[in-house]
Amino acid sequence: MSEEPDFRVERLIGTWHRHLTHDLRRSEHTVRAYTTTARRFLRFENVEPEWGPLADCDHLTMRRYLADRRKDGLTNASTARELSAIKTFLKFAAQQAGKKQENVPRMRGPRVKKGIPRAVTPDDAIGLADLVADEPQELWIGARDRAVLLLLYGSGLRIAEALSLNGDALPLGDRLTVTGKGSKQRTVPLLPLVKQAIDAYVDATPYTLNPHQPLFRGARGGRLSQGVLQKAVVRARQALGLPPSATPHALRHSFATHLLAAGADLRSLQELLGHASLGSTQIYTKVDAATLLDVYRNAHPREAE
């Protein structure tokens, strides 16, 4: 006796959920969003809830699905996110079916209006890292790029500091020692989300990570270059409608701005950022003041008079 359609859908969703949670170690928010999108897609007309047929899904089916979602009032930015989630799900379907992931349709999302330059919000930082992870055909490369970006935002590292890490940083604890400018070392905190992302990359990479060799490897095994990561961020920020100011280095700036807004003192922030002088750190008081002024102008009832 064949399985009921709803049972087949939930069976696939269960496997997808475990992959996102245990293999990719995505955040709770991302897992919830991606499983919701996959369930909705599996219940769409002409979509067969089996790994093989899903791996052969064509452009036409995906376009029809997105057109149907647009009728529900989906914005361009939300459509771009949903398309990314579907493509990631279909790549996984191809993997499960033993087929080539390259066959997943390479559809472009809708054009998104560029937003005004602003600090990257926590949601934007996580969203950027998640979308970058969904783009590469090879899952380990997506896991690598996500881990680096979350490290920049979660620990305030310069991109050069993150990419200079070697395998001797493993195994990870709740802190990480990095070497900054002038070969000065400092210790930074490692959030559980960041640690999980790095662990997911370590588990997925095809390379052996020796103590004196690069932690983050390029596709050919050498040290990952800044240019590769920067190009990936450009594609992701365009899909999300983020401004050109949303660069890998902006994640470090956002780390500092958010800590300051939450009450961190300048001396502690100076240590975390690895600034030689307090003067370099004081620029973030100006950034925070600018943010507060924007909030005031948008919220104060007298400002509009």
Side-chain angles (χ1 to χ4, degrees), residues 33-47 54 57-74 78-87 89-90 107:
Y34 278 33
T35 51
T36 298
T37 295
R39 182 179 284 110
R40 191 184 293 120
F41 183 69
L42 287 170
R43 288 176 173 162
F44 184 65
E45 60 178 333
N46 299 326
V47 173
L54 281 169
C57 186
D58 57 17
H59 286 85
L60 187 58
T61 301
M62 292 176 68
R63 288 188 186 282
R64 283 175 177 166
Y65 170 78
L66 292 174
D68 188 70
R69 290 288 290 134
R70 298 283 277 188
K71 292 177 185 176
D72 296 333
L74 214 63
S78 295
T79 301
R81 289 188 181 96
E82 189 130 339
L83 175 59
S84 175
I86 293 169
K87 288 196 292 187
F89 178 58
L90 295 181
M107 282 181 59

